Amino acid sequence: MPEDSNTGAPDPRGRLTSRILRGGTEPDPRFTLANERTFLAWIRTSLALLAGGVAVEAFMAELLGPELRKTISVLLLVLALLIGGGSFFRWVNVERAMRRKTPMPLPLMAPVLAIGGALVAAIMVVFVIVRPA
């Protein structure tokens, strides 16, 4: 069984946890829980984007043409995929940084979300302007 870096005793969480976190010292539980809440916020954002992509495809047939509807749906679904998948790696990298007392990694998902959201919004703005009243 892997050892706990703080005590040298066997790590009760097991081998997988030790392999994922790769050493360091156990941070203050408040920081670990804050990191977990941030992870869950990214997951909620991903689920909202997923629901938005499904809703556009399912309920916007009368309002949007098939190409525009599919484009917006796919953009939202890809954003959901990137944010949902990236949130785990973000959580692990922050947890490792806290354990090693190194600077926090940059949140690479934030620009992805900002650019993707802006792209979807820009498409909708063009659609609203071009659409006859």
Side-chain angles (χ1 to χ4, degrees):
M1 184 173 263
E3 291 184 357
D4 183 349
S5 301
N6 292 334
T7 64
D11 189 344
R13 293 176 297 186
R15 202 172 295 183
L16 180 62
T17 301
S18 295
R19 287 186 65 164
I20 290 172
L21 297 178
R22 298 185 192 153
T25 59
E26 191 73 28
D28 185 325
R30 293 173 294 180
F31 300 132
T32 297
L33 293 171
N35 188 29
E36 185 176 320
R37 285 189 300 273
T38 303
F39 166 76
L40 294 172
W42 283 113
I43 292 296
R44 281 191 304 273
T45 301
S46 174
L47 290 172
L49 290 167
L50 179 66
V54 170
V56 166
E57 182 59 33
F59 301 116
M60 301 295 266
E62 293 179 16
L63 186 61
L64 304 173
E67 298 84 18
L68 183 60
R69 190 176 71 240
K70 185 172 290 217
T71 300
I72 294 171
S73 292
V74 167
L75 279 171
L76 290 170
L77 294 172
V78 167
L79 277 173
L81 176 71
L82 292 173
I83 299 301
S87 64
F88 170 75
F89 296 105
R90 169 78 180 156
W91 174 82
V92 167
N93 289 333
V94 168
E95 192 67 25
R96 286 177 183 162
M98 288 190 301
R99 289 171 159 273
R100 296 176 184 154
K101 297 179 180 16
T102 59
M104 293 294 145
L106 290 175
L108 298 177
M109 293 185 309
V112 169
L113 183 58
I115 291 167
L119 187 59
V120 170
I123 291 170
M124 290 306 296
V125 166
V126 169
F127 171 74
V128 168
I129 291 171
V130 171
R131 184 171 181 248

